[in-house]
Amino acid sequence: MRIAIIGAGSWGTAVAGLCAARADQVVMWAHDPSIARSITERHRNPRYLVEYELSGRISAEHDLVRSLRGAEAVIFATPSAYLRERAREAAGHVARNAPVLCLSKGIEPESGKLMTEVVAEELGCAERIAALSGPNHAEEVCRGGLSAAVCAATEGQVAEWFRDLLISLTFRVYLSDDPVGVEMCGAVKNVIAIVCGIACGSGYGDNTLAMIMTRGLAEISRLVYARGGDPLTCMGLAGMGDLVATCTSPHSRNRGFGLACASGTALSTYERRTHMVVEGAAAALSVAQLAREIGVDAPITFALESIIYGNASIREALEVLMDRLPTEEFYGVGKERGIPCEKRSV
């Protein structure tokens, strides 16, 4: 069995290691030819997870078409901003019956589409596409640390196929038929994690972080519900599980950016220094746009949008949040959905 993984970042590299336990050959696509050479010749990614020794079954290509040749399944592990471009380049080179897994997390600007929807538009056969999400820092997964994820697809057999490919004694994979909920959780939790990092870097304590996380979960639930997903998904691995890990872990690039932002570091500077894309920064814009279009109150997202892309200072954005009058704890999910924004709480 040959698996193609489009993307050679930290998560793509860790998932390649999971795949190699069952696949005969795993071929990664790397944008940087030097990374592709190192993976193939030295069995190490020279930029991400540099201490992780890759299986001899794993190789890499700089040519996207060559990486896809003969693949029985395809896994997309690119930053969300580049997913459509890569999927479009791959179209025509992916077998029509090949299952496809999307690891990218985010919401496409302007269109408001989730990542599996973007892939489906470019590749076709939407029913063969699944999403994987959960509290999975690549640094721990590659070391064999006990972890769990949820694989979601509208067709149960597709989710089961990828579960059987990736599952191990230390990497547990649960199934879901709610890709909308799973993907919305994966996109919005990065926004909440940045705000947690900002709060921590600004000197706020554990009570504040707990408040942001739980009110953030309520915000995610409203968005999931309005988008047609199941709010119960927010209580699982893709929701609460991933939120906790991303908001509290030193491995989290989103929380890390929030900490840096609190000390005055610009987004471009942080990404250049870490060689990583801060998905939550892009999501702050696309999630805010989607929330306005579908009429969902998303105050934490709006606050982060104003900090990164507006003229608001961190102090001003936090003051706007704190000035809101608390009312019902849960609104916007089910019968409370129609409460006017001015009566809602953060």
Side-chain angles (χ1 to χ4, degrees):
M1 179 168 57
R2 178 179 168 119
I3 306 295
I5 299 181
I6 310 305
S10 56
W11 189 217
T13 301
V15 170
L18 294 173
C19 291
R22 286 185 170 82
D24 300 303
Q25 188 178 14
V26 179
V27 183
M28 303 175 67
W29 173 81
H31 182 264
D32 187 330
S34 66
I35 292 179
R37 284 195 302 271
S38 180
I39 290 172
T40 300
E41 297 171 4
R42 299 179 55 247
H43 306 297
R44 290 186 186 275
N45 188 321
R47 179 166 292 176
Y48 305 101
L49 308 181
V50 295
E51 300 300 321
Y52 180 37
E53 184 174 357
L54 295 164
S55 165
R57 296 180 179 183
I58 300 172
S59 61
E61 295 278 358
H62 176 56
D63 185 297
L64 184 66
V65 175
R66 285 175 60 87
S67 69
L68 291 166
R69 191 169 297 160
E72 294 180 37
V74 178
I75 299 175
F76 283 93
T78 66
S80 60
Y82 306 109
L83 181 62
R84 185 176 289 278
E85 179 183 354
R86 297 294 168 251
R88 184 170 294 164
E89 291 172 354
H93 304 285
V94 178
R96 295 284 292 179
N97 62 342
V100 176
L101 181 65
C102 187
L103 306 181
S104 306
K105 296 177 180 179
I107 296 172
E108 188 177 48
E110 305 303 327
S111 74
K113 294 186 182 298
L114 298 169
M115 297 295 96
T116 57
E117 294 169 336
V118 169
V119 173
E121 281 192 350
E122 298 299 333
L123 298 187
C125 302
E127 65 277 1
R128 48 89 176 254
I129 300 172
L132 184 80
S133 194
N136 307 131
H137 288 301
E139 296 84 354
E140 296 182 11
V141 171
C142 73
R143 293 198 302 265
L146 183 59
S147 306
V150 58
C151 188
T154 56
E155 293 291 332
Q157 290 182 336
V158 176
E160 290 174 5
W161 195 93
F162 282 111
R163 177 199 61 189
D164 294 344
L165 172 67
L166 298 174
I167 196 169
S168 71
L169 290 175
T170 58
F171 190 75
R172 312 304 297 161
V173 182
Y174 294 82
L175 302 179
S176 169
D177 61 358
D178 182 27
V180 169
V182 166
E183 288 195 87
M184 286 297 297
C185 287
V188 187
K189 58 90 183 180
N190 288 327
V191 173
I192 310 304
I194 293 177
V195 177
C196 280
I198 290 174
C200 184
S202 299
Y204 290 90
D206 293 341
N207 290 353
T208 305
L209 296 182
M211 180 188 72
I212 294 171
M213 289 171 63
T214 50
R215 297 313 302 150
L217 188 64
E219 188 164 310
I220 295 170
S221 299
R222 294 193 295 273
L223 288 160
V224 167
Y225 177 73
R227 193 58 167 72
D230 184 354
L232 187 61
T233 298
C234 301
M235 300 299 107
L237 290 164
M240 194 64 203
D242 206 0
L243 185 69
V244 169
T246 309
C247 290
T248 62
S249 172
H251 297 311
S252 170
R253 71 189 70 172
N254 292 285
R255 182 182 187 275
F257 168 64
L259 288 167
C261 181
S263 63
T265 302
L267 174 62
S268 58
T269 301
Y270 183 82
E271 291 187 328
R272 186 168 57 251
R273 186 176 70 210
T274 61
H275 302 289
M276 291 183 174
V277 174
V278 180
E279 291 283 15
L285 206 57
S286 58
V287 172
Q289 179 184 358
L290 176 64
R292 293 186 181 101
E293 289 178 355
I294 61 179
V296 172
D297 191 34
I300 298 176
T301 300
F302 296 151
L304 183 61
E305 178 194 35
S306 70
I307 292 170
I308 299 178
Y309 302 104
N311 297 317
S313 67
I314 291 174
R315 178 183 294 275
E316 289 169 341
L318 293 178
E319 285 177 352
V320 169
L321 284 176
M322 295 305 102
D323 281 346
R324 293 166 58 89
L325 177 66
T327 55
E328 293 85 0
E329 182 177 12
F330 298 105
Y331 66 88
V333 180
K335 64 182 181 181
E336 300 90 353
R337 187 171 175 177
I339 298 175
C341 289
E342 63 270 16
K343 295 184 179 179
R344 295 173 180 173
S345 66
V346 67

Short mmCIF file of all heavy atoms in Angstrom, two decimals, residues 223-262:
data_model
loop_
_atom_site.label_atom_id
_atom_site.label_comp_id
_atom_site.label_asym_id
_atom_site.label_seq_id
_atom_site.Cartn_x
_atom_site.Cartn_y
_atom_site.Cartn_z
N LEU A 223 -21.25 28.50 16.69
CA LEU A 223 -20.84 28.45 15.29
C LEU A 223 -21.10 27.07 14.68
O LEU A 223 -21.56 26.96 13.54
CB LEU A 223 -19.36 28.81 15.17
CG LEU A 223 -19.04 30.29 15.40
CD1 LEU A 223 -17.56 30.48 15.74
CD2 LEU A 223 -19.41 31.11 14.17
N VAL A 224 -20.80 26.03 15.43
CA VAL A 224 -21.06 24.66 14.95
C VAL A 224 -22.54 24.47 14.68
O VAL A 224 -22.94 23.96 13.62
CB VAL A 224 -20.56 23.62 15.98
CG1 VAL A 224 -21.11 22.23 15.67
CG2 VAL A 224 -19.03 23.59 16.00
N TYR A 225 -23.37 24.90 15.62
CA TYR A 225 -24.82 24.74 15.47
C TYR A 225 -25.35 25.50 14.26
O TYR A 225 -26.14 24.97 13.47
CB TYR A 225 -25.51 25.23 16.75
CG TYR A 225 -27.02 25.18 16.69
CD1 TYR A 225 -27.71 23.97 16.75
CD2 TYR A 225 -27.75 26.36 16.58
CE1 TYR A 225 -29.09 23.93 16.69
CE2 TYR A 225 -29.14 26.32 16.53
CZ TYR A 225 -29.80 25.11 16.58
OH TYR A 225 -31.18 25.08 16.51
N ALA A 226 -24.91 26.75 14.12
CA ALA A 226 -25.39 27.56 13.00
C ALA A 226 -24.91 27.03 11.66
O ALA A 226 -25.58 27.21 10.64
CB ALA A 226 -24.91 29.01 13.18
N ARG A 227 -23.78 26.35 11.65
CA ARG A 227 -23.22 25.81 10.41
C ARG A 227 -23.80 24.45 10.06
O ARG A 227 -23.48 23.88 9.02
CB ARG A 227 -21.70 25.73 10.55
CG ARG A 227 -20.88 25.50 9.30
CD ARG A 227 -21.08 26.54 8.24
NE ARG A 227 -20.06 26.45 7.20
CZ ARG A 227 -19.97 25.49 6.29
NH1 ARG A 227 -20.86 24.51 6.29
NH2 ARG A 227 -19.01 25.50 5.39
N GLY A 228 -24.65 23.92 10.94
CA GLY A 228 -25.30 22.63 10.66
C GLY A 228 -24.65 21.44 11.31
O GLY A 228 -25.03 20.29 11.04
N GLY A 229 -23.69 21.68 12.21
CA GLY A 229 -23.06 20.57 12.91
C GLY A 229 -23.76 20.26 14.22
O GLY A 229 -24.73 20.91 14.61
N ASP A 230 -23.26 19.25 14.92
CA ASP A 230 -23.83 18.81 16.19
C ASP A 230 -23.06 19.46 17.34
O ASP A 230 -21.87 19.21 17.50
CB ASP A 230 -23.73 17.29 16.28
CG ASP A 230 -24.39 16.73 17.53
OD1 ASP A 230 -24.82 17.52 18.39
OD2 ASP A 230 -24.46 15.49 17.65
N PRO A 231 -23.72 20.28 18.16
CA PRO A 231 -23.01 20.92 19.28
C PRO A 231 -22.37 19.92 20.24
O PRO A 231 -21.39 20.27 20.92
CB PRO A 231 -24.11 21.72 19.98
CG PRO A 231 -25.15 21.96 18.92
CD PRO A 231 -25.12 20.73 18.06
N LEU A 232 -22.88 18.69 20.30
CA LEU A 232 -22.29 17.68 21.18
C LEU A 232 -20.85 17.37 20.77
O LEU A 232 -20.02 17.00 21.61
CB LEU A 232 -23.13 16.41 21.16
CG LEU A 232 -22.73 15.30 22.15
CD1 LEU A 232 -22.83 15.82 23.59
CD2 LEU A 232 -23.61 14.07 21.96
N THR A 233 -20.54 17.54 19.49
CA THR A 233 -19.18 17.32 19.01
C THR A 233 -18.19 18.20 19.76
O THR A 233 -17.03 17.82 19.97
CB THR A 233 -19.09 17.59 17.50
OG1 THR A 233 -19.96 16.68 16.81
CG2 THR A 233 -17.68 17.43 16.97
N CYS A 234 -18.64 19.37 20.19
CA CYS A 234 -17.77 20.31 20.90
C CYS A 234 -17.32 19.76 22.26
O CYS A 234 -16.34 20.25 22.83
CB CYS A 234 -18.47 21.65 21.10
SG CYS A 234 -18.98 22.44 19.55
N MET A 235 -18.02 18.76 22.78
CA MET A 235 -17.64 18.19 24.07
C MET A 235 -16.59 17.11 23.92
O MET A 235 -16.07 16.59 24.92
CB MET A 235 -18.88 17.57 24.76
CG MET A 235 -20.01 18.56 25.03
SD MET A 235 -19.51 19.90 26.13
CE MET A 235 -19.42 21.27 24.98
N GLY A 236 -16.25 16.74 22.70
CA GLY A 236 -15.35 15.63 22.45
C GLY A 236 -13.92 16.03 22.16
O GLY A 236 -13.47 17.13 22.48
N LEU A 237 -13.20 15.12 21.52
CA LEU A 237 -11.78 15.30 21.26
C LEU A 237 -11.49 16.50 20.36
O LEU A 237 -10.53 17.24 20.59
CB LEU A 237 -11.20 14.03 20.62
CG LEU A 237 -11.11 12.81 21.54
CD1 LEU A 237 -10.91 11.54 20.73
CD2 LEU A 237 -9.98 12.99 22.54
N ALA A 238 -12.31 16.68 19.33
CA ALA A 238 -12.08 17.79 18.40
C ALA A 238 -12.42 19.13 19.01
O ALA A 238 -11.90 20.16 18.58
CB ALA A 238 -12.89 17.58 17.12
N GLY A 239 -13.29 19.12 20.02
CA GLY A 239 -13.70 20.36 20.67
C GLY A 239 -12.94 20.61 21.95
O GLY A 239 -11.86 21.20 21.94
N MET A 240 -13.49 20.15 23.07
CA MET A 240 -12.88 20.41 24.37
C MET A 240 -11.46 19.85 24.45
O MET A 240 -10.55 20.50 25.00
CB MET A 240 -13.74 19.82 25.49
CG MET A 240 -13.36 20.31 26.87
SD MET A 240 -13.65 22.10 27.03
CE MET A 240 -12.56 22.51 28.37
N GLY A 241 -11.27 18.65 23.92
CA GLY A 241 -9.94 18.04 23.99
C GLY A 241 -8.88 18.88 23.32
O GLY A 241 -7.84 19.20 23.91
N ASP A 242 -9.13 19.27 22.07
CA ASP A 242 -8.16 20.06 21.33
C ASP A 242 -8.03 21.47 21.90
O ASP A 242 -6.95 22.07 21.90
CB ASP A 242 -8.57 20.13 19.85
CG ASP A 242 -7.39 20.35 18.92
OD1 ASP A 242 -6.25 20.45 19.42
OD2 ASP A 242 -7.60 20.43 17.70
N LEU A 243 -9.14 22.01 22.41
CA LEU A 243 -9.11 23.34 23.00
C LEU A 243 -8.18 23.39 24.20
O LEU A 243 -7.35 24.30 24.34
CB LEU A 243 -10.53 23.77 23.40
CG LEU A 243 -10.69 25.20 23.92
CD1 LEU A 243 -10.47 26.20 22.80
CD2 LEU A 243 -12.07 25.39 24.53
N VAL A 244 -8.29 22.40 25.08
CA VAL A 244 -7.44 22.36 26.27
C VAL A 244 -5.97 22.28 25.87
O VAL A 244 -5.12 23.04 26.37
CB VAL A 244 -7.82 21.17 27.17
CG1 VAL A 244 -6.77 20.96 28.26
CG2 VAL A 244 -9.19 21.37 27.79
N ALA A 245 -5.65 21.37 24.95
CA ALA A 245 -4.26 21.19 24.55
C ALA A 245 -3.70 22.45 23.89
O ALA A 245 -2.57 22.89 24.18
CB ALA A 245 -4.14 20.00 23.60
N THR A 246 -4.48 23.05 23.00
CA THR A 246 -3.98 24.20 22.25
C THR A 246 -3.87 25.45 23.10
O THR A 246 -3.01 26.29 22.88
CB THR A 246 -4.91 24.48 21.04
OG1 THR A 246 -5.11 23.26 20.31
CG2 THR A 246 -4.31 25.49 20.10
N CYS A 247 -4.74 25.59 24.09
CA CYS A 247 -4.73 26.79 24.93
C CYS A 247 -3.71 26.72 26.06
O CYS A 247 -3.39 27.75 26.66
CB CYS A 247 -6.12 27.01 25.54
SG CYS A 247 -7.38 27.52 24.34
N THR A 248 -3.20 25.52 26.38
CA THR A 248 -2.35 25.39 27.56
C THR A 248 -0.95 24.87 27.28
O THR A 248 -0.06 25.04 28.11
CB THR A 248 -3.00 24.44 28.58
OG1 THR A 248 -3.14 23.12 28.00
CG2 THR A 248 -4.38 24.93 29.01
N SER A 249 -0.71 24.27 26.13
CA SER A 249 0.55 23.58 25.90
C SER A 249 1.66 24.52 25.40
O SER A 249 1.41 25.39 24.56
CB SER A 249 0.36 22.47 24.87
OG SER A 249 1.61 21.90 24.51
N PRO A 250 2.88 24.31 25.85
CA PRO A 250 4.01 25.07 25.30
C PRO A 250 4.31 24.70 23.85
O PRO A 250 5.03 25.42 23.16
CB PRO A 250 5.18 24.68 26.22
CG PRO A 250 4.79 23.37 26.81
CD PRO A 250 3.30 23.42 26.95
N HIS A 251 3.76 23.56 23.36
CA HIS A 251 3.94 23.17 21.96
C HIS A 251 3.04 23.98 21.03
O HIS A 251 3.24 23.95 19.80
CB HIS A 251 3.61 21.68 21.77
CG HIS A 251 4.52 20.76 22.52
ND1 HIS A 251 5.89 20.86 22.49
CD2 HIS A 251 4.24 19.70 23.32
CE1 HIS A 251 6.43 19.90 23.23
NE2 HIS A 251 5.45 19.19 23.75
N SER A 252 2.03 24.64 21.56
CA SER A 252 1.01 25.31 20.73
C SER A 252 1.56 26.59 20.11
O SER A 252 1.89 27.54 20.81
CB SER A 252 -0.22 25.64 21.60
OG SER A 252 -1.10 26.49 20.88
N ARG A 253 1.63 26.60 18.78
CA ARG A 253 2.11 27.81 18.10
C ARG A 253 1.11 28.95 18.23
O ARG A 253 1.50 30.12 18.22
CB ARG A 253 2.38 27.50 16.62
CG ARG A 253 1.14 27.26 15.78
CD ARG A 253 1.47 26.75 14.40
NE ARG A 253 1.98 25.39 14.45
CZ ARG A 253 2.20 24.63 13.38
NH1 ARG A 253 1.96 25.12 12.18
NH2 ARG A 253 2.66 23.40 13.49
N ASN A 254 -0.18 28.62 18.35
CA ASN A 254 -1.20 29.67 18.51
C ASN A 254 -1.09 30.33 19.87
O ASN A 254 -1.09 31.56 19.98
CB ASN A 254 -2.58 29.08 18.28
CG ASN A 254 -2.80 28.66 16.85
OD1 ASN A 254 -3.00 29.48 15.96
ND2 ASN A 254 -2.74 27.35 16.59
N ARG A 255 -1.00 29.54 20.92
CA ARG A 255 -0.79 30.12 22.26
C ARG A 255 0.53 30.86 22.31
O ARG A 255 0.63 31.95 22.89
CB ARG A 255 -0.82 29.01 23.32
CG ARG A 255 -0.66 29.52 24.74
CD ARG A 255 -0.65 28.36 25.73
NE ARG A 255 -0.67 28.83 27.11
CZ ARG A 255 0.40 29.19 27.80
NH1 ARG A 255 1.59 29.13 27.24
NH2 ARG A 255 0.29 29.59 29.06
N GLY A 256 1.55 30.28 21.67
CA GLY A 256 2.87 30.92 21.65
C GLY A 256 2.83 32.28 20.98
O GLY A 256 3.46 33.24 21.43
N PHE A 257 2.07 32.37 19.87
CA PHE A 257 1.94 33.67 19.22
C PHE A 257 1.21 34.66 20.12
O PHE A 257 1.56 35.84 20.17
CB PHE A 257 1.21 33.55 17.88
CG PHE A 257 0.81 34.89 17.32
CD1 PHE A 257 1.77 35.81 16.95
CD2 PHE A 257 -0.53 35.24 17.20
CE1 PHE A 257 1.41 37.06 16.46
CE2 PHE A 257 -0.90 36.48 16.71
CZ PHE A 257 0.08 37.40 16.34
N GLY A 258 0.19 34.19 20.83
CA GLY A 258 -0.52 35.07 21.75
C GLY A 258 0.40 35.65 22.80
O GLY A 258 0.35 36.85 23.11
N LEU A 259 1.27 34.82 23.37
CA LEU A 259 2.26 35.29 24.34
C LEU A 259 3.16 36.35 23.73
O LEU A 259 3.45 37.39 24.33
CB LEU A 259 3.09 34.12 24.85
CG LEU A 259 2.41 33.12 25.80
CD1 LEU A 259 3.26 31.87 25.95
CD2 LEU A 259 2.16 33.76 27.16
N ALA A 260 3.63 36.07 22.49
CA ALA A 260 4.52 37.01 21.81
C ALA A 260 3.79 38.30 21.46
O ALA A 260 4.36 39.40 21.56
CB ALA A 260 5.09 36.35 20.55
N CYS A 261 2.53 38.16 21.06
CA CYS A 261 1.73 39.33 20.71
C CYS A 261 1.57 40.26 21.91
O CYS A 261 1.61 41.49 21.77
CB CYS A 261 0.36 38.87 20.20
SG CYS A 261 -0.75 40.19 19.68
N ALA A 262 1.42 39.68 23.09
CA ALA A 262 1.26 40.50 24.30
C ALA A 262 2.49 41.33 24.59
O ALA A 262 2.40 42.38 25.24
CB ALA A 262 0.94 39.59 25.49
#
